[in-house]
Amino acid sequence: MDRPCRSHGWKVSWKMLPLAASVLSSCFLLTRAQETTGISIRVVPEVLKEGDSVTLTPEGLDLKNIASCKWYRGAVEERNMIISFFRPPFSGETKGPAHTGRETVKPDFSLYITDLKPADSGIYSFKPEGPGVTITGATNITVSGYVTNITISDSGKAIENSTTVLHCTSAGTNVSYSWLRGNESLVVGERISLSNNNQVLTFNPTSRNDSDSYSCYGYNSFSNDSTSYLLNVLYGPDVPEIGPSEHYYAEGSNLTLSCTADSNPAAQYTWSFNETSDIGSASQLSIHNLQFHHSGNYTCKAFNNETNASSTSASREIWVLAEVSDVTIMGLSEAIENKSLILTCTSVGSEVSYYWFRGNQSLEDGGHISLSHDNQNLTINPVSRSDTGSYTCLGVNRISNNTSTPFELTVFYGPDDPVISPKINTYRTGSSLNLSCSADSHPPPQYTWIFKEGIIGNTSELLISNLTLNDTGDYTCSAFNVETNLSKSASLLVEVYETLSNPVLWPAEAIVAENASVSLQCNTSNRLDVNVTWFKDSNPVLDKAVLFNRNRNLTLTAVSKDEEGMYTCKATNPVSKATSNPSKISLAYGPNNVKLNQTGTVTLKLGSRLALLCTAESLPEAQFRWFFNHTNMNVTANTFSTDLTAWEDGGNYTCQAYNSVVKKLASASVNVKLTTQESTPPGSGLTPGQIVGIVIGCVLGVALIGGLGYFLFTKTALGRTEQHSSNGNIPSAPGRNQGVTDTKPTPGEEDIQYSTLAFKANHPPQPQPAATRPLESNIIYSEIKKK
């Protein structure tokens, strides 16, 4: 029975009684109203897994009409109630039978559940309560559980060609399954299949190759687990095999036969001889000191006690025989190339077959080698130098073999065509010629060197030091074999060339007017084998260059800026190369930017010295001439100086620069004016030292005058200040001597107030008439105060 309006244990003030009465009346109304569903419940988050928390929130509620609510796990029944929640003023909650301790209700009536379990999956119902509230809501949630406790079970013993089933199970929800064989995904096919959501793995039929470790992997969207199962397939035995494969054995030797059959578990073996059973019960059968009566048929049988199957081998026939010994080669041990030779092999034993070897190489019948029908006789026709070597004969029967001692065969041959080395045909004068002659021959040949029909050496080596041009020619080497009585010869043409010295390129420098022509001459050897090539700035010369006299001369026409650079010529012959000195070709220009160290009009004192420097940008360097009032002074240096002793020395001084290549003139001038006063450069004035000296002198003079006035007039005029100025009481100007330090009087002296000093202004001196001097236009004042 629902109890939405229970109120025991509540304490409410009298101001809340009207609201409580309203709530109680709604309870009676609810008992008569018909409930309807229609509230939408939002689940956050939508996807839930074990351990998560979830919030179930009713949507679209009119909270002012709802006083309380109830949440149910399942249908709206008392036994399914999780919690009952009351809004203020009746704040509180009542836990129902379905409450797990993990559920709480929030003020907006949403249900919050923590630490979800798979068992929490299902329908959750919401029932609001209040005046006129008749609707309810419900939602369904699913809580996915973690995948755990995964296991693999089998259908029993796995035997080849039978059916084997492996079944994988686990705890968890929405579990999917996959299988691995070893570390790789399982490949299903005609014999191997998966069923029942991949939980069942079936082998039908089972193969021995199916033995392996199999892993079942269970997983859902948020967890996984796995386990492994070792599948051991029982099989066999297969048909046994007897080893070794040898059928023939020597009398007195030992016989050991082994029987193997592929089987799981390992098979049990029994042996029979000539159909007589039980001569052995192990996988190996041994018989010592074989005799002829041991010849016969041996059989092996294998049995598997798990599969209860058996298998019998094919019979192995064994024969006991005698051995081969004393194998020997007979014949001549020396032969001449292109002759014939016969070798014979003998031995002790019966049913012996023969095999011939040279070194480790087997000799077969064919080509220049032939064998008799029983292989005892070896014929070589014709003999070749490659037949030289160690020969052996192998005697073999069915039970043994024996090899002869090595037979050493020597073949005389040659000489072949001699080879002269090195194959160098060109040499420098002064170098050495060291030739070696070799010819394949046995025994080694005798050598003779021939040059210009004369013998010049009788060994394989020829050495000529300090070669000259006369050593050019054919050098012939002759080789002779005393055993074959044969000889061969070969020749090498040797050419000796001079060692080139560095060419001399003339001229070493050329300055050329634009569009003019210039020629360069490369002085080097005139021999026909000497070639000359030209380069500009380390690159081949342009096509514009004209070459003649076997490239010894180069002419450039219509020279432009592109032809400027460093030119070299290179002389080469087959043995040497040499590069000349560089020759610099420059394009003439100028004179440009002609300047004097004094410009415009300058005023100098009569009797001073005029010194001028003239500069100009020019290639080649400009030639200078000096003019005074258009009169050539016959001075060709870039400097000019003269003493200004007369008023007539004033006027225009001109520097003229001339480029002899481009035939161009340019000039610069200065106007000199003379005066009887010192010339002061613009911007100059009295130095600070001069100003300080003048100020100190004035201070001393004024102090003397002040002391005299003190005794004559008054002793009480201390502190009075007067101002003196020239030209109508002009105040003292802060000038160059503004920083002079004040002079302090000795005790008893009166203060001297001010003194005015006048200095010359900073204007250049101008010539003035002898009778009068112009009055200075500016006066600099300095204040001197005695304290």
Side-chain angles (χ1 to χ4, degrees):
M1 185 72 179
D2 295 341
R3 291 176 292 177
C5 297
R6 59 186 295 180
S7 58
H8 57 277
W10 291 353
K11 296 180 180 180
V12 184
S13 66
W14 63 270
K15 296 180 180 180
M16 301 301 296
L17 290 178
L19 178 59
S22 174
V23 172
L24 290 174
S25 64
S26 66
C27 293
F28 295 106
L29 292 174
L30 286 172
T31 59
R32 294 191 300 269
Q34 184 177 1
E35 297 176 351
T36 61
T37 61
I39 298 176
S40 174
I41 298 177
R42 178 165 50 91
V43 180
V44 177
E46 296 180 356
V47 178
L48 305 174
K49 62 180 182 296
E50 187 174 1
D52 287 351
S53 297
V54 66
T55 301
L56 309 181
T57 304
E59 295 184 328
L61 295 179
D62 187 2
L63 297 180
K64 66 179 182 293
N65 292 328
I66 299 176
S68 63
C69 72
K70 291 182 179 181
W71 282 94
Y72 300 87
R73 182 175 282 111
V76 180
E77 298 177 1
E78 182 65 22
R79 60 187 179 88
N80 294 335
M81 189 183 79
I82 300 172
I83 193 169
S84 176
F85 177 78
F86 302 93
R87 291 184 62 196
F90 304 102
S91 297
E93 61 182 25
T94 300
K95 298 178 176 63
H99 193 274
T100 65
R102 296 178 286 113
E103 298 89 354
T104 57
V105 177
K106 298 181 180 180
D108 61 350
F109 297 124
S110 60
L111 178 64
Y112 180 67
I113 308 174
T114 63
D115 192 19
L116 289 171
K117 313 292 183 183
D120 292 330
S121 299
I123 296 174
Y124 284 78
S125 300
F126 171 72
K127 181 179 180 182
E129 296 175 334
V133 178
T134 60
I135 59 175
T136 62
T139 188
N140 190 2
I141 67 171
T142 300
V143 180
S144 299
Y146 285 91
V147 179
T148 57
N149 301 327
I150 189 163
T151 59
I152 299 176
S153 58
D154 57 38
S155 58
K157 185 187 299 184
I159 299 177
E160 189 174 37
N161 297 321
S162 64
T163 300
T164 301
V165 178
L166 301 181
H167 190 268
C168 182
T169 59
S170 70
T173 56
N174 297 324
V175 182
S176 298
Y177 297 89
S178 63
W179 292 80
L180 297 179
R181 178 173 180 172
N183 293 322
E184 298 180 356
S185 297
L186 177 67
V187 178
V188 298
E190 184 178 349
R191 292 187 311 103
I192 301 175
S193 61
L194 292 172
S195 59
N196 192 21
N197 190 30
N198 289 353
Q199 286 185 261
V200 178
L201 172 60
T202 303
F203 302 87
N204 186 24
T206 305
S207 168
R208 68 185 67 184
N209 296 326
D210 295 330
S211 294
D212 208 337
S213 175
Y214 291 83
S215 298
C216 178
Y217 180 74
Y219 60 94
N220 57 20
S221 61
F222 58 92
S223 65
N224 62 78
D225 194 11
S226 64
T227 189
S228 298
Y229 178 89
L230 183 62
L231 178 63
N232 182 27
V233 179
L234 306 177
Y235 61 88
D238 293 347
V239 177
E241 294 182 358
I242 298 176
S245 60
E246 182 63 52
H247 291 271
Y248 299 92
Y249 290 84
E251 183 181 11
S253 64
N254 297 325
L255 171 67
T256 299
L257 299 177
S258 62
C259 182
T260 57
D262 194 7
S263 175
N264 184 26
Q268 300 172 358
Y269 300 95
T270 56
W271 289 88
S272 62
F273 173 67
N274 290 336
E275 299 182 357
T276 299
S277 302
D278 300 330
I279 63 171
S281 58
S283 62
Q284 194 172 76
L285 175 67
S286 297
I287 301 175
H288 300 284
N289 191 21
L290 282 173
Q291 302 299 317
F292 291 110
H293 67 268
H294 289 125
S295 298
N297 293 316
Y298 292 81
T299 305
C300 169
K301 182 178 181 180
F303 173 75
N304 186 326
N305 58 2
E306 289 287 343
T307 63
N308 202 30
S310 63
S311 181
T312 303
S313 70
S315 297
R316 173 61 54 84
E317 188 175 17
I318 300 298
W319 297 93
V320 181
L321 301 174
E323 295 181 343
V324 179
S325 63
D326 297 331
V327 179
T328 305
I329 298 176
M330 296 182 295
L332 296 175
S333 61
E334 293 181 349
I336 297 177
E337 192 173 37
N338 297 323
K339 305 295 183 178
S340 63
L341 175 68
I342 298 176
L343 300 178
T344 301
C345 184
T346 62
S347 69
V348 175
S350 59
E351 298 183 14
V352 179
S353 298
Y354 297 95
Y355 301 91
W356 290 86
F357 296 88
R358 181 173 63 244
N360 294 323
Q361 181 182 3
S362 175
L363 299 178
E364 304 292 340
D365 189 32
H368 73 295
I369 295 178
S370 59
L371 298 171
S372 61
H373 68 283
D374 58 359
N375 280 9
Q376 276 193 273
N377 295 321
L378 170 66
T379 300
I380 305 175
N381 186 26
V383 174
S384 169
R385 67 189 67 183
S386 61
D387 295 325
T388 298
S390 178
Y391 287 76
T392 54
C393 177
L394 173 65
V396 179
N397 66 11
R398 293 184 181 274
I399 61 168
S400 64
N401 62 78
N402 187 257
T403 301
S404 69
T405 57
F407 181 88
E408 301 296 332
L409 175 63
T410 300
V411 177
F412 299 125
Y413 61 89
D416 293 346
D417 292 333
V419 176
I420 300 175
S421 61
K423 294 290 187 182
I424 299 175
N425 299 94
T426 57
Y427 291 84
R428 300 171 183 264
T429 54
S431 64
S432 297
L433 175 66
N434 191 355
L435 298 179
S436 175
C437 184
S438 62
D440 194 7
S441 175
H442 186 68
Q446 299 173 356
Y447 294 97
T448 303
W449 287 93
I450 301 171
F451 177 69
K452 294 181 180 179
E453 299 182 355
I455 297 175
I456 59 173
N458 54 11
T459 64
S460 62
E461 303 290 331
L462 176 65
L463 175 63
I464 300 176
S465 302
N466 195 21
L467 288 173
T468 67
L469 297 176
N470 293 328
D471 293 320
T472 296
D474 288 316
Y475 290 77
T476 301
C477 171
S478 176
F480 175 72
N481 187 327
V482 296
E483 292 290 343
T484 64
N485 202 32
L486 297 174
S487 65
K488 294 287 182 68
S489 63
S491 297
L492 176 69
L493 175 62
V494 172
E495 295 178 298
V496 182
Y497 295 90
E498 66 176 314
T499 301
L500 297 174
S501 58
N502 290 334
V504 176
L505 183 56
W506 184 88
E509 182 175 8
I511 300 175
V512 188
E514 189 171 13
N515 294 321
S517 298
V518 64
S519 295
L520 301 178
Q521 180 177 336
C522 184
N523 297 308
T524 186
S525 171
N526 283 323
R527 288 179 58 88
L528 295 177
D529 53 48
V530 177
N531 296 318
V532 174
T533 53
W534 290 83
F535 298 88
K536 172 184 173 290
D537 297 330
S538 301
N539 298 313
V541 295
L542 302 175
D543 295 338
K544 185 177 179 180
V546 179
L547 301 175
F548 58 95
N549 189 23
R550 292 174 45 231
N551 285 8
R552 267 64 172 174
N553 293 84
L554 176 144
T555 298
L556 298 172
T557 61
V559 174
S560 65
K561 193 71 175 178
D562 294 336
E563 280 70 58
E564 282 191 311
M566 301 298 293
Y567 287 76
T568 55
C569 65
K570 180 183 290 185
T572 59
N573 65 12
V575 298
S576 65
K577 56 185 177 180
T579 302
S580 72
N581 59 287
S583 176
K584 182 178 181 181
I585 293 181
S586 303
L587 195 63
Y589 63 88
N592 299 326
N593 198 20
V594 180
K595 293 181 179 179
L596 290 172
N597 59 333
Q598 299 190 57
T599 60
T601 299
V602 297
T603 302
L604 300 176
K605 183 180 179 181
L606 185 67
S608 64
R609 186 171 182 79
L610 173 65
L612 297 177
L613 171 65
C614 186
T615 59
E617 298 173 359
S618 176
L619 188 69
E621 290 186 357
Q623 301 172 3
F624 295 96
R625 289 194 302 172
W626 291 88
F627 295 86
F628 173 62
N629 291 335
H630 306 295
T631 299
N632 191 344
M633 303 301 292
N634 295 320
V635 176
T636 59
N638 66 333
T639 59
F640 175 82
S641 61
T642 184
D643 292 324
L644 305 175
T645 58
W647 292 105
E648 290 79 6
D649 292 332
N652 286 320
Y653 288 82
T654 301
C655 167
Q656 185 182 82
Y658 175 68
N659 188 320
S660 60
V661 175
V662 299
K663 314 297 183 185
K664 180 182 175 181
L665 287 170
S667 62
S669 299
V670 62
N671 183 29
V672 176
K673 291 185 178 181
L674 298 179
T675 180
T676 58
Q677 298 180 357
E678 289 288 346
S679 175
T680 304
S684 66
L686 293 177
T687 65
Q690 292 171 332
I691 295 174
V692 170
I694 294 171
V695 171
I696 292 174
C698 293
V699 168
L700 293 176
V702 172
L704 182 60
I705 296 171
L708 182 61
Y710 174 81
F711 289 103
L712 296 177
F713 297 100
T714 181
K715 293 182 180 180
T716 60
L718 295 175
R720 196 182 74 178
T721 302
E722 294 181 356
Q723 183 175 0
H724 300 275
S725 63
S726 63
N727 295 335
N729 297 324
I730 299 177
S732 298
R736 300 171 189 253
N737 42 0
Q738 193 173 22
V740 176
T741 305
D742 292 339
T743 303
K744 294 184 179 180
T746 58
E749 290 183 337
E750 292 183 325
D751 289 343
I752 298 175
Q753 303 305 318
Y754 292 97
S755 177
T756 301
L757 302 179
F759 300 94
K760 294 180 181 179
N762 294 330
H763 290 294
Q766 300 294 331
Q768 298 293 336
T772 61
R773 288 176 57 91
L775 192 62
E776 300 297 340
S777 60
N778 291 329
I779 297 174
I780 299 176
Y781 296 90
S782 177
E783 294 179 353
I784 302 173
K785 179 178 181 181
K786 179 179 180 303
K787 296 182 181 178

